Amino acid sequence: MREKKLTLWLLGLVLALCAALAGLVLLQSSRLRALRENTPAAISSAQEDAPVSIAPEDSAHLTEAFGLTPAGTDETKGTATAEISLRLWEDQMDAAVKLLIEAGEKTVSIPLERSANRTYTAPVTLALPDRQSGENAPVSLTVEVEDSGVFSREWLGEYPNALFMTATLRADLKEGGMTYVRKSLPTPGVGLMRMNRECRLSVLDGDESVAVKNAAFRVYCNGKLVKSLPAAEDETGRNLYGPKAWDNALVCRNGDRVILTFSCTGEDGRFYEFQLETAYITHEQGDVTSRLMPPAVS
């Protein structure tokens, strides 16, 4: 009889423990579900509590074109002013578009005004490199589009200093520069990025093409310069530059970001580097996107 009571007591204890454990599991599940429901999908905006959609690196770009027109320098203040202009792939009438400029430890937000031709513009003034101290603050540019409380951003690029604000030259890419070729290589997700032999480019000052020296195409992979390829003036066109014959294939892997630039020395003796195209390599493709930007100047 005593053994039967002991057995029933142990069974009751086991059932109580199981019930307590089940309650704990249900409580934790409820907490996790509430946490997921109250966690924002993405957070990377200057405005807290605002939903943010950052375009992934393999998605379409927000910006179709970006350019500037120098408006002069102030030697006393050591600044340069330029009219910034950009166009979006998908123009949104009610969207608020801003240019975020990170220069050194400062970040400023410049609202852009939409014109009738779908171009967003604003005057921008930046501090030039200090000639006496030699201080060179890098300048990073990001475009931000806010539509119905949702923020999207696209990083445009970084310049070593603000001298790009004084550049009057621009690149005119006649034929595309890069082509991505998938290969059945032993390593999965590997392909080749090739420089097109038909690529042709001219450098313009206003509407006139100008002669340049030390012309070269440069290929960057994940921010590192991996190839510098000499360019030659095309025999069929004045001041028209194209690639020389070379083994120019660059092995690419999933996740790589490839950038093609054109560098030269202008008639003013300054060094210019124009960003021409970008490509983000995924498992299936390496789509090349034209991205003509104001040149870096040194």
Side-chain angles (χ1 to χ4, degrees):
M1 185 69 177
R2 181 179 299 175
E3 293 179 354
K4 184 175 181 181
K5 288 183 178 180
L6 180 61
T7 302
L8 292 175
W9 181 82
L10 290 175
L11 180 60
L13 178 62
V14 170
L15 292 175
L17 290 174
C18 290
L21 181 60
L24 181 61
V25 170
L26 291 175
L27 177 61
Q28 292 296 331
S29 299
S30 176
R31 288 177 177 177
L32 289 174
R33 183 167 57 253
L35 181 62
R36 284 196 300 267
E37 292 173 351
N38 293 322
T39 301
I43 301 176
S44 53
S45 170
Q47 296 187 6
E48 296 180 0
D49 303 326
V52 177
S53 175
I54 298 299
E57 293 196 353
D58 59 345
S59 72
H61 293 297
L62 295 173
T63 311
E64 179 183 358
F66 178 83
L68 64 81
T69 303
T73 59
D74 188 322
E75 296 292 339
T76 304
K77 296 181 179 179
T79 60
T81 301
E83 182 80 6
I84 298 294
S85 63
L86 66 84
R87 290 171 63 90
L88 301 176
W89 286 109
E90 295 183 8
D91 186 36
Q92 304 167 50
M93 286 286 294
D94 299 327
V97 182
K98 297 180 180 179
L99 183 66
L100 308 181
I101 304 176
E102 183 179 353
E105 298 180 353
K106 289 184 177 181
T107 300
V108 296
S109 176
I110 309 294
L112 302 178
E113 183 177 349
R114 185 182 184 275
S115 63
N117 63 355
R118 298 175 46 244
T119 299
Y120 293 83
T121 62
V124 173
T125 300
L126 294 178
L128 293 171
D130 193 317
R131 297 178 181 177
Q132 294 182 350
S133 66
E135 183 179 349
N136 252 355
V139 179
S140 180
L141 304 178
T142 300
V143 61
E144 178 184 86
V145 178
E146 184 269 322
D147 186 30
S148 301
V150 177
F151 290 75
S152 300
R153 289 181 180 175
E154 179 191 7
W155 183 67
L156 297 177
E158 184 176 270
Y159 289 88
N161 52 53
L163 284 174
F164 74 96
M165 296 278 289
T166 66
T168 59
L169 302 182
R170 62 185 178 89
D172 183 18
L173 188 62
K174 307 293 185 182
E175 297 289 343
M178 297 190 296
T179 299
Y180 182 67
V181 183
R182 292 288 300 169
K183 292 291 182 181
S184 299
L185 300 177
T187 304
V190 174
L192 299 176
M193 187 65 73
R194 294 187 178 278
M195 183 81 188
N196 298 328
R197 295 182 182 276
E198 297 79 15
C199 175
R200 294 295 182 270
L201 175 144
S202 61
V203 177
L204 303 180
D205 188 352
D207 295 327
E208 297 293 327
S209 64
V210 296
V212 297
K213 300 177 181 178
N214 307 318
F217 291 95
R218 291 182 166 193
V219 181
Y220 293 81
C221 186
N222 302 326
K224 181 181 179 181
L225 177 63
V226 292
K227 286 181 180 289
S228 182
L229 312 170
E233 190 168 5
D234 192 279
E235 296 179 355
T236 62
R238 181 172 175 268
N239 300 335
L240 193 63
Y241 299 89
K244 290 182 179 179
W246 56 60
D247 179 12
N248 62 71
L250 171 67
V251 176
C252 300
R253 293 172 173 81
N254 290 342
D256 284 349
R257 178 173 289 280
V258 181
I259 298 177
L260 175 67
T261 71
F262 178 81
S263 65
C264 64
T265 303
E267 294 178 330
D268 55 5
R270 299 200 295 180
F271 176 80
Y272 294 85
E273 185 167 14
F274 302 85
Q275 181 175 313
L276 304 178
E277 294 177 338
T278 63
Y280 182 72
I281 311 304
T282 65
H283 181 70
E284 299 295 336
Q285 61 188 5
D287 290 339
V288 176
T289 302
S290 177
R291 168 59 61 77
L292 298 178
M293 296 280 290
V297 183
S298 60

